Amino acid sequence: MDQTPEHDLRIAHSPTTLRELAVERLRHAIITGRFTGGDRLVERTLCDQLGVSRSVVREAIRYLEAEGLVETLGRSGPVVATLDWTRARQIYDIRRLLEADAAAACADIADAAVKDRLRAALAELEAAFTDAAPQKLYAATTAFYEVIFTSAGHDIAWEIVQRLNSRISRLRALTLATTDRRISGPAHMARICAAICANDPEAAADAVRAHLRDAAEIARQLLEDQG
């Protein structure tokens, strides 16, 4: 077969499609609470708001449904998924198991390079928190955990966490908005980082559990009050 450039099978395309942009905007609106649980997602209205076609809106809604942010209720059509404590508790339980295990494994094998990457990720997270930039904070928090999971070799566990990431971000937005936190999220992350950098698996796992215990309790109170 001719291997010259003109016969290259790769397709050149824009890195960001209209569907990806629509998904990003709608995801952000749901995570930040602009669209709340139970709100109907009317195609015509969304087309006007986003400035895109119905086919793009439908694709975006299907994508967000797969992420667990949207659900279809019979004749009502697509609505923003309800965020209740029953569902949130399951997410925190899954996170506790996977993240504590990954942190312990990372602490066990962390070398100087891993520690440098983790400290850099923590610095980005703290900067986003100081700047009060929620979207940057969600991204920085995800990057922090990615260092932990990938360094530990827990790739499959990280894939599972990634599938839950939109729902996790929605819960983060809920808990970050409260002033009732005894210890801030970044302070918890600093403790996780310190334990890993000290190569202390038990302390790393305990720091993760403490962080998620505090976050879950705040989420429980808020969601039960809403109910």
Side-chain angles (χ1 to χ4, degrees):
M1 181 180 291
D2 192 339
Q3 297 297 321
T4 54
E6 59 266 30
H7 292 284
D8 195 328
L9 294 176
R10 286 175 299 177
I11 299 171
H13 61 86
S14 170
T16 305
T17 64
L18 277 177
R19 191 265 295 165
E20 289 168 337
L21 287 171
V23 167
E24 182 183 324
R25 298 291 172 83
L26 289 175
R27 183 192 291 121
H28 178 68
I30 294 170
I31 288 173
T32 57
R34 178 175 176 178
F35 297 158
T36 60
D39 283 355
R40 289 185 63 214
L41 298 174
V42 181
E43 284 184 9
R44 180 177 296 176
T45 302
L46 292 176
C47 288
D48 292 340
Q49 291 175 328
L50 295 168
V52 297
S53 67
R54 284 199 173 193
S55 62
V56 171
V57 168
R58 286 172 189 154
E59 281 187 65
I61 287 173
R62 281 197 295 269
Y63 196 92
L64 293 173
E65 191 168 12
E67 289 188 357
L69 294 181
V70 172
E71 55 193 7
T72 300
L73 301 178
R75 293 183 179 179
S76 296
V79 299
V80 176
T82 301
L83 185 61
D84 55 31
W85 174 237
T86 299
R87 295 180 183 182
R89 180 175 55 197
Q90 294 176 62
I91 292 170
Y92 282 116
D93 287 346
I94 292 168
R95 287 187 62 193
R96 190 177 298 111
L97 290 169
L98 298 181
E99 292 176 18
D101 195 35
C106 185
D108 193 44
I109 58 90
D111 58 13
V114 169
K115 293 173 186 179
D116 285 346
R117 288 172 57 211
L118 193 60
R119 290 189 185 108
L122 178 63
E124 290 288 332
L125 190 155
E126 290 173 336
F129 185 78
T130 300
D131 293 344
Q135 283 301 103
K136 288 183 180 179
L137 183 58
Y138 305 149
T141 304
T142 298
F144 178 82
Y145 278 111
E146 185 174 12
V147 173
I148 294 174
F149 275 83
T150 56
S151 299
H154 288 206
D155 300 327
I156 301 301
W158 180 240
E159 287 179 15
I160 294 169
V161 172
Q162 284 290 86
R163 291 192 199 106
L164 293 172
N165 199 44
S166 290
R167 281 177 278 190
I168 290 171
S169 292
R170 199 174 174 194
L171 287 168
R172 281 194 185 119
L174 183 73
T175 58
L176 281 171
T178 184
T179 57
D180 294 337
R181 282 190 113 137
R182 185 171 57 86
I183 302 173
S184 72
H188 273 298
M189 300 298 183
R191 292 182 178 184
I192 295 168
C193 181
I196 291 173
C197 290
N199 295 110
D200 189 335
E202 186 176 349
D206 286 345
V208 168
R209 294 188 192 103
H211 166 49
L212 292 174
R213 183 171 58 247
D214 284 0
E217 179 56 23
I218 292 168
R220 183 191 66 77
Q221 293 174 8
L222 294 171
L223 291 171
E224 288 184 347
D225 286 347
Q226 287 179 9

